[in-house]
Amino acid sequence: MSLEIATIPCRTDNYAYLLHDAESGATAVVDVPDAGPIRSALADRGWNLSDILITHHHYDHIDGVEELRAEFDARVVGAAADAHRLPPLDLAVAEGDIVNVGCVSGKVLDVSGHTMGHIAFCFPGAAFTADSLMALGCGRLFEGDAPTMWASLSKLAALPPETLIYSGHEYTAANGAFALTVDPENTALAARVEAVARARAAGEPTVPSLLSLELATNPFLRAVAPEVKQGLGMAGASDVDTFAEIRRRKDSF
């Protein structure tokens, strides 16, 4: 049993995602940067919104929640730890909790780091990671520290490699340019950067991405790789210290 997933561009570089269970007719949206594009996508497909799943409190992920809640009487789901700065929640969840979209069950992961209380929704074959693990990148550490984000990324890295990663923004080209400075000898990365450029030139999104591809090319996940540590002048450093240095370099790139 699987979900039909639609990628919905919002604002200038955000993504929302529609998850549709054909058996029950239930449809969820992960994050609501803006109500308009999501409403249009629902109408185009003849779907009725049943659930709104929120990953974190930043305005460009929740601005349209109340508008869609009022229109569709949708259930709003978000992190209990973040409830004080989210729209009112109908279901407050924490790591390990199960969220159902119709007949399909997903699991909640705490992926704090970009913000504290950031969560990911992991359904069979698909993880909605927003601004934690991103295509060729990870979110800036606005609230958490490097050990917190590294622990979160490590949870996501342990998912099945065939998992599709649905992240929150179209940042992949810029992330790729930075990644090449950290991992210049990585032929898989070079090929991916070229593929990203072709996709963007054609107006196509670069998400979702396979976790296996992120493990092979994303510099933040490759903090474990000896060749990356060597290239940073950090041979023998811990994974988390290497990650922290990569994040520091990205922040000033």
Side-chain angles (χ1 to χ4, degrees):
M1 192 180 303
S2 62
L3 295 165
E4 182 178 348
I5 300 171
T7 300
I8 314 300
C10 297
R11 304 174 74 94
T12 56
D13 57 25
N14 278 81
Y15 289 115
Y17 300 100
L18 291 177
L19 290 58
H20 180 69
D21 173 37
E23 182 174 337
S24 66
T27 303
V29 63
V30 178
D31 289 340
V32 189
D34 183 16
I38 296 163
R39 182 186 298 108
S40 296
L42 290 164
D44 289 346
R45 293 164 174 79
W47 294 348
N48 184 64
L49 189 66
S50 55
D51 300 278
I52 298 170
L53 311 182
I54 302 172
T55 61
H56 66 296
H57 70 89
H58 283 162
Y59 74 92
D60 60 332
H61 293 259
I62 64 171
D63 260 12
V65 168
E66 292 298 1
E67 190 174 335
L68 291 185
R69 185 213 302 262
E71 183 171 348
F72 292 97
D73 194 28
R75 178 183 68 158
V76 177
V77 181
D82 216 15
H84 59 290
R85 40 187 195 175
L86 294 174
L89 299 177
D90 300 303
L91 177 62
V93 295
E95 174 147 356
D97 287 347
I98 301 299
V99 173
N100 295 309
V101 177
C103 303
V104 182
S105 296
K107 194 173 191 178
V108 175
L109 285 183
D110 181 337
V111 291
S112 292
H114 176 65
T115 65
M116 299 307 292
H118 192 310
I119 57 175
F121 297 93
C122 300
F123 290 88
F128 297 88
T129 59
D131 296 359
S132 55
L133 176 59
M134 307 181 83
L136 276 176
C138 76
R140 189 181 289 263
L141 306 185
F142 287 124
E143 297 176 11
D145 57 15
T148 300
M149 180 63 110
W150 180 245
S152 295
L153 294 179
S154 297
K155 292 177 194 176
L156 294 166
L159 294 171
E162 65 273 15
T163 302
L164 285 167
I165 302 298
Y166 291 83
S167 52
H169 290 272
E170 186 55 68
Y171 292 165
T172 318
N175 287 343
F178 169 73
L180 288 170
T181 71
V182 173
D183 205 5
E185 304 303 318
N186 187 333
T187 56
L189 172 59
R192 185 177 183 188
V193 168
E194 291 179 4
V196 166
R198 289 193 299 271
R200 294 311 294 153
E204 298 169 354
T206 62
V207 297
S209 57
L210 278 169
L211 178 57
S212 58
L213 185 59
E214 297 302 331
L215 290 167
T217 59
N218 187 319
F220 296 100
L221 296 185
R222 283 178 51 75
V224 301
E227 61 270 30
V228 170
K229 296 182 186 194
Q230 184 74 36
L232 294 170
M234 298 181 69
S238 69
D239 296 344
V240 68
D241 285 348
T242 306
F243 165 76
E245 174 61 15
I246 296 169
R247 185 65 257 177
R248 186 192 68 76
R249 293 187 184 202
K250 177 64 166 68
D251 289 344
S252 59
F253 180 70

